[in-house]
Amino acid sequence: MTLFHPVSEKDVTRAIVSGFMKQFEQYVESDLVIIGAGPSGLMAGRELALRGRKVLIVERNNYLGGGFWIGGYLMNKVTLRAPSQEVLDELGIPYEEAVEGLYVADGPHACSKLIAAACDAGVKFANMTIFEDIVIRDQRVAGVVINWTPITSLPRQITCVDPVALECTLVIDATGHDACVVSKLEERGMMKTVGFGAMWVERSEDLVVEYTGEAYPGLIVAGMAVSTTYGVPRMGPTFGGMLLSGKKAAEEALKILEGIKTA
Amino acid sequence: MEERGEFFVYHLERRGNSTPPAVPTGGIEALKDRLSLSLAGTKVRRPTDHGPSRDPLPAEIAVEKRRLDPGGRRPFGFLYDGYDLMQIAASLLPMEESSRAHLHIIFTNQLLGTREEGEDRYHARVCVLGSPSLISTSGMVEAPAKPREFYILKRSLEALGMGETAEVEFAREAGARFLDHDDPRMEEAACGYALQAVFHWIGAEGFCGDQGCRLFNAHWQRELLAAQVRGPVPGVGLAPEAGVMPEPGSEPGSEPGPEPRFEPGSEPTLPTDVPLPAIGLCRCHLEQLKRWKESAPITFRL
Ligand SMILES: [Zn+2]
């Protein structure tokens, strides 16, 4: 008598393949594809899925959460300014007040709760997946082209893996400083970014939240990608700004989706 | 004197309410569109640029348009060309208020910069004087340099990725030595800059060499506090020490001269050789203001 029920290797393989294929096929078309599973992407995904939207988050790494696991100097405490602690309350993440208006939370606790919250809300993930290109239809972003992350580290002669396209109504660029989706549009000459701005002020989280929104028809920019797109003054890690930017991205997305429905 | 609400909101409303409405074809919305396009076009992308961008992205225009609405959120942090902004504001002034008989002072939380002749880059300014005159509250915080210790601590903590914590901590400990956003002393400082606008308006000389005078051109936060805020300011009154050169690095504001030396623990000293009239002007500028008052077409109290 063994502890685990006996199953054959083929059953294991079949379960993985069919489970993956079922989801993959379902998400070939969705309401939103979010590129990047950092704090802003996860937050946006959760809010949208909670409101019944079909959301797929594409993440190039195996792990989700981006830089939200650790704070400065590889120390796993993350700091947030008021009012972003309200998001922590909402997600049930414990925190302490460091000084007035500044809160400190455990990186692993905060990050894992946020990931779980997105999953619980119904967000699906394509991790180990890179964003390769955008699909444009009628001068609107209408989908993304993706591929497996490992092909980026393979020798040229065996990287003949063609990518696949996914369709969606809206794409959110939550890829951090790289602003991968926006850069792709720029590469094609369809829009231009401002690039990182000079450091004029000590704080610019407000601006990141304010400028979060549609940057090109069908494309919403969130998180640090906002800084690159609009030249928001450089700043250090500000997780509060990322979470609130994710929330704003979701609000903007909902407005656009409603508009499309009524049009 | 009349105190009005937010400049753009006020004048848009006033134009909309006048009979007939003083708005272009397309109505108030068309005027807002035009304004938000020009406002977004006054943003300075890089301090080394020769002028503002003039080529804003759609979202930048949308943000400016939201700012034109009453009660809209007004985050700050971008640098705007001060003279361009002044011109846009001037275009909204009604004819009857455009003459030299009127002085308009706009207080804004936007960061303003100018690139004066001979300068190789934009510098953040507290005020840009003209018609109307602009006074920037974020400029009061960002334009005059903070104590050198701030930048040293900030840089070292930023290297550890803790810039945010450092800033809050430092501001708490050293708050008395520089203005911070939402600082209650800002109101008092704003009065001083309003006085500078008045002097500019009556055609008097721009700046004063007296460190205790409201018209002193402050390059350091400590100088700003000394000139504009009466109160315990450590180190005030000490002569600038030649040879103590700061490392301005990338911090905003004009290249500051030597920072007045600060000896930790020293008692706050106010300049003793300078009379301190309530209004905060040096004797010479107070006299000038009194003389002007006698011939001025309007009445005011000193
Ligand atoms: Zn004077």
Side-chain angles (χ1 to χ4, degrees):
Chain A
M1 189 68 192
T2 55
L3 177 61
F4 290 103
H5 193 278
V7 290
S8 70
E9 297 301 327
K10 67 176 189 296
D11 289 333
V12 174
T13 306
R14 239 178 227 137
I16 294 172
V17 173
S18 64
F20 180 83
M21 283 309 162
K22 198 174 134 204
Q23 182 184 309
F24 198 75
E25 204 193 336
Q26 268 175 13
Y27 280 80
V28 160
E29 193 185 1
S30 54
D31 291 327
L32 292 113
V33 172
I34 298 173
I35 312 293
S40 65
L42 287 170
M43 197 66 215
R46 174 194 185 247
E47 297 289 299
L48 288 158
L50 275 182
R51 278 152 194 82
R53 300 297 172 169
K54 191 173 167 187
V55 184
L56 179 74
I57 300 187
V58 172
E59 169 57 51
R60 67 176 172 188
N61 290 307
N62 188 14
Y63 68 91
L64 310 173
F68 202 31
W69 295 103
I70 48 170
Y73 194 58
L74 298 179
M75 291 185 282
N76 61 6
K77 297 286 175 196
V78 293
T79 52
L80 301 97
R81 275 175 207 272
S84 33
Q85 84 282 3
E86 288 166 15
V87 179
L88 301 182
D89 289 331
E90 213 181 303
L91 300 174
I93 299 166
Y95 59 86
E96 279 171 22
E97 189 168 28
V99 293
E100 199 193 333
L102 182 73
Y103 302 90
V104 59
D106 229 29
H109 203 162
C111 195
S112 54
K113 279 266 192 182
L114 177 58
I115 296 168
C119 292
D120 289 345
V123 175
K124 296 296 176 199
F125 292 90
N127 47 342
M128 288 299 275
T129 304
I130 49 162
F131 159 82
E132 274 209 345
D133 208 347
I134 29 166
V135 177
I136 302 283
R137 197 178 302 132
D138 305 325
Q139 272 121 50
R140 269 190 76 84
V141 172
V144 295
V145 177
I146 57 164
N147 212 331
W148 295 114
T149 298
I151 68 144
T152 56
S153 47
L154 288 176
R156 262 263 164 255
Q157 63 272 23
I158 47 171
T159 55
C160 50
V161 184
D162 280 336
V164 291
L166 305 176
E167 289 188 15
C168 57
T169 316
L170 287 174
V171 172
I172 297 181
D173 186 342
T175 58
H177 296 118
D178 297 340
C180 295
V181 188
V182 168
S183 307
K184 196 52 89 173
L185 279 170
E186 200 171 22
E187 233 175 84
R188 289 198 187 185
M190 300 171 79
M191 78 171 280
K192 58 185 176 49
T193 63
V194 174
F196 265 106
M199 194 176 69
W200 289 106
V201 291
E202 311 292 347
R203 292 169 210 166
S204 43
E205 296 152 292
D206 279 23
L207 288 177
V208 169
V209 179
E210 184 68 18
Y211 278 77
T212 296
E214 196 172 38
Y216 185 88
L219 174 66
I220 287 172
V221 184
M224 277 303 198
V226 173
S227 309
T228 312
T229 309
Y230 299 107
V232 172
R234 279 184 292 263
M235 58 177 170
T238 53
F239 296 116
M242 299 304 103
L243 295 175
L244 294 189
S245 169
K247 263 191 182 260
K248 171 99 184 287
E251 282 164 27
E252 295 296 311
L254 288 168
K255 269 189 238 162
I256 297 166
L257 291 172
E258 281 301 312
I260 290 171
K261 206 176 79 184
T262 51
Chain B
M1 198 180 80
E2 188 185 336
E3 199 183 315
R4 293 171 173 174
E6 208 281 329
F7 182 86
F8 289 100
V9 175
Y10 171 87
H11 283 285
L12 280 170
E13 207 164 89
R14 181 162 163 175
R15 278 178 174 242
N17 291 343
S18 68
T19 37
V23 290
T25 355
I28 203 86
E29 275 307 303
L31 181 58
K32 277 187 179 179
D33 285 338
R34 209 181 64 196
L35 274 174
S36 45
L37 177 67
S38 357
L39 287 169
T42 65
K43 270 164 86 172
V44 179
R45 299 267 196 244
R46 269 161 293 273
T48 47
D49 284 354
H50 282 270
S53 60
R54 312 254 179 251
D55 201 8
L57 297 168
E60 294 181 291
I61 303 167
V63 168
E64 296 302 334
K65 199 170 172 188
R66 284 203 292 277
R67 277 184 83 102
L68 297 177
D69 290 331
R73 277 167 33 81
R74 297 192 160 76
F76 56 88
F78 285 113
L79 188 76
Y80 289 76
D81 183 298
Y83 290 117
D84 274 36
L85 200 61
M86 184 190 293
Q87 232 171 39
I88 296 171
S91 76
L92 269 187
L93 290 175
M95 279 297 273
E96 64 272 22
E97 288 185 11
S98 303
S99 77
R100 292 277 307 148
H102 287 85
L103 165 66
H104 294 271
I105 302 177
I106 300 175
F107 294 94
T108 175
N109 72 347
Q110 296 286 46
L111 199 54
L112 309 176
T114 64
R115 187 180 161 145
E116 306 289 344
E117 221 167 301
E119 287 180 343
D120 60 347
R121 62 195 298 261
Y122 268 90
H123 289 299
R125 312 284 180 198
V126 180
C127 57
V128 183
L129 304 179
S131 177
S133 277
L134 306 168
I135 297 172
S136 161
T137 50
S138 55
M140 285 183 210
V141 179
E142 309 292 348
K146 294 189 176 73
R148 271 178 300 158
E149 301 95 298
F150 173 81
Y151 297 104
I152 294 164
L153 182 76
K154 190 167 144 62
R155 255 176 251 158
S156 59
L157 279 155
E158 249 168 15
L160 297 176
M162 300 191 297
E164 189 174 73
T165 330
E167 189 197 319
V168 176
E169 276 296 330
F170 193 90
R172 220 164 47 119
E173 283 168 23
R177 294 168 55 199
F178 58 84
L179 282 182
D180 202 355
H181 301 287
D182 303 318
D183 198 309
R185 295 170 297 177
M186 206 175 253
E187 206 174 306
E188 184 58 32
C191 293
Y193 285 95
L195 259 175
Q196 293 191 4
V198 170
F199 270 85
H200 180 272
W201 179 52
I202 65 176
E205 238 175 84
F207 292 117
C208 181
D210 190 327
Q211 274 202 60
C213 178
R214 292 277 204 177
L215 306 189
F216 184 77
N217 186 15
H219 287 111
W220 287 94
Q221 282 288 333
R222 195 168 296 128
E223 293 174 337
L224 184 154
L225 291 173
Q228 308 298 358
V229 182
R230 310 287 152 197
V233 183
V236 165
L238 297 179
E241 194 73 28
V244 187
M245 283 309 290
E247 300 159 278
S250 61
E251 68 256 20
S254 12
E255 295 296 310
E259 182 186 11
R261 194 158 65 179
F262 168 61
E263 279 146 29
S266 66
E267 278 299 298
T269 34
L270 287 169
T272 45
D273 54 334
V274 180
L276 287 174
I279 200 165
L281 288 169
C282 69
R283 192 176 288 140
C284 149
H285 278 114
L286 188 66
E287 284 308 314
Q288 197 175 358
L289 199 61
K290 277 180 181 160
R291 274 201 308 279
W292 179 74
K293 182 181 187 289
E294 280 151 24
S295 61
I298 56 161
T299 53
F300 62 95
R301 262 177 337 121
L302 274 180

